[in-house]
Amino acid sequence: MKFIYSIFLFVVSAGWAVAGPVPYSVNGMPYEGYFVSAGKNAPLVMLIHDWDGLTDYEVRRSHMLADKGFSVFAVDLFGKGIRPTEVADKRRLTGALYKDRQRMRALMNGALDAAGRQGGDVTRSVAAGYCFGGAAVLEWARSGVNQKGFVTFHGGLSIPDGQNYSKARGQYLILHGTADQVVPMTDFAALALAFEDAGLSHEMISYSGARHAFTVFNTDRYNKDADQKSWARFLSFLNDVIPAS
C-alpha cells in the first residue's frame, strides 16, 4: 500500500480536494475503496477492479481519470485488506460472488453510497470495470441501477441463466480484444444481440491481436495500441455521457 499513500500525499499537496483510501462497510462487513475528487462539480466514475482486488492498477487509472476532470471511486468487492495474489484465491473470491449475484449487486450499491458520502456526484455517474470488474459492471446494469453509462474493458460478457437486460438503462461501451481466449467473440456477439433486443444504446469495439487483459501495464498481455485506443474512446464516451466541466 505504500504506492497508494504516496500518491495520496502528493495529490493533496498538489491541491486536489481529496484523494486516498476510504473505509466503508456493507452489511456490517468492512471494505476499503479509493476516492479521488476532481472538484466539487466533477462527474463520477465508479471503477471496479479485476480479480486481484483493488490494487495500484486501479489507483493509477483513477488518477488518470482525475487528470481529465472526473472524480473516481474505486470499488472494493473483496473486503478491506483482501488483495489475493494466488490464482486459487482469486478464483475462490470471484467464484463466491458469481454464485451470489445479489451480494455482488449489494456491494456495488454500498460502494455507490460510500462515493456519495465522499462528495461524488452519484447523479452523474458511469460504471467502468476491468475483466472481472467488467462482468460486475454488467451485473449491476442488469439490476436496473441508475447509472448514465456502463463500460467494460476485456470484461466477462456472458449473460447468466435467467437474466436479461429488460431492467437495464443507460448507454454502453464494450471494449474487447478479438484474440481474447478467456471471453470469446461468441459472447461479444451474443451481448450485442441482447443489447439490441433490449433497445439499449451501445457501442462495441474489438481490437485485433488484443488478448485478455490487454490494458494491464507491464505484462506480456499488454497491447499498447489497443490500450491507447480503448482509453481514448473511454474518455470520449465519458465526455459525451457525463461531460467534465
Side-chain angles (χ1 to χ4, degrees):
M1 298 295 286
K2 289 181 180 179
F3 178 81
I4 290 178
Y5 285 103
S6 65
I7 283 184
F8 170 59
L9 293 172
F10 171 78
V11 170
V12 170
S13 66
W16 285 352
V18 65
V22 177
Y24 63 102
S25 63
V26 180
N27 295 328
M29 298 298 293
Y31 293 84
E32 186 172 78
Y34 187 88
F35 183 65
V36 184
S37 172
K40 183 178 180 180
N41 298 316
L44 176 69
V45 176
M46 297 294 293
L47 190 63
I48 305 180
H49 59 74
D50 193 0
W51 72 340
D52 51 356
L54 201 175
T55 67
D56 289 352
Y57 179 80
E58 288 76 27
V59 171
R60 179 174 176 179
R61 291 291 186 182
S62 295
H63 285 274
M64 289 170 66
L65 287 167
D67 283 343
K68 300 299 183 180
F70 300 95
S71 295
V72 184
F73 190 92
V75 176
D76 174 15
L77 292 183
F78 290 163
K80 184 175 181 179
I82 302 175
R83 305 294 184 259
T85 58
E86 300 297 328
V87 170
D89 292 329
K90 296 174 184 180
R91 286 177 175 161
R92 175 179 55 81
L93 289 162
T94 55
L97 289 174
Y98 282 135
K99 290 177 182 178
D100 189 350
R101 291 175 179 268
Q102 290 303 316
R103 178 170 169 249
M104 186 191 294
R105 294 178 178 190
L107 291 174
M108 290 183 282
N109 289 333
L112 186 64
D113 290 341
R117 291 193 295 271
Q118 294 299 310
D121 187 350
V122 299
T123 68
R124 288 192 302 147
S125 181
V126 162
Y130 293 87
C131 294
F132 163 71
V137 161
L138 294 179
E139 181 66 36
W140 207 15
R142 290 190 296 271
S143 77
V145 66
N146 187 21
Q147 295 280 288
K148 299 297 185 183
F150 301 87
V151 181
T152 73
F153 291 85
H154 42 78
L157 306 179
S158 62
I159 304 171
D161 291 342
Q163 288 199 33
N164 56 50
Y165 283 87
S166 62
K167 295 181 180 179
R169 42 188 167 171
Q171 300 183 49
Y172 294 78
L173 176 63
I174 308 300
L175 304 163
H176 204 67
T178 51
D180 191 327
Q181 296 184 351
V182 177
V183 182
M185 290 299 291
T186 51
D187 286 356
F188 184 90
L191 181 62
L193 293 174
F195 283 159
E196 195 66 24
D197 288 344
L200 295 170
S201 175
H202 63 280
E203 180 177 348
M204 302 178 67
I205 305 173
S206 63
Y207 299 97
S208 61
R211 299 161 58 193
H212 191 65
F214 64 80
T215 67
V216 182
F217 306 113
N218 302 317
T219 68
D220 62 357
R221 296 161 293 173
Y222 182 70
N223 184 308
K224 182 177 180 180
D225 181 64
D227 175 43
Q228 292 182 345
K229 287 179 178 177
S230 62
W231 185 256
R233 183 63 192 99
F234 179 36
L235 293 177
S236 177
F237 177 85
L238 292 176
N239 279 306
D240 288 341
V241 177
I242 50 169
S245 56

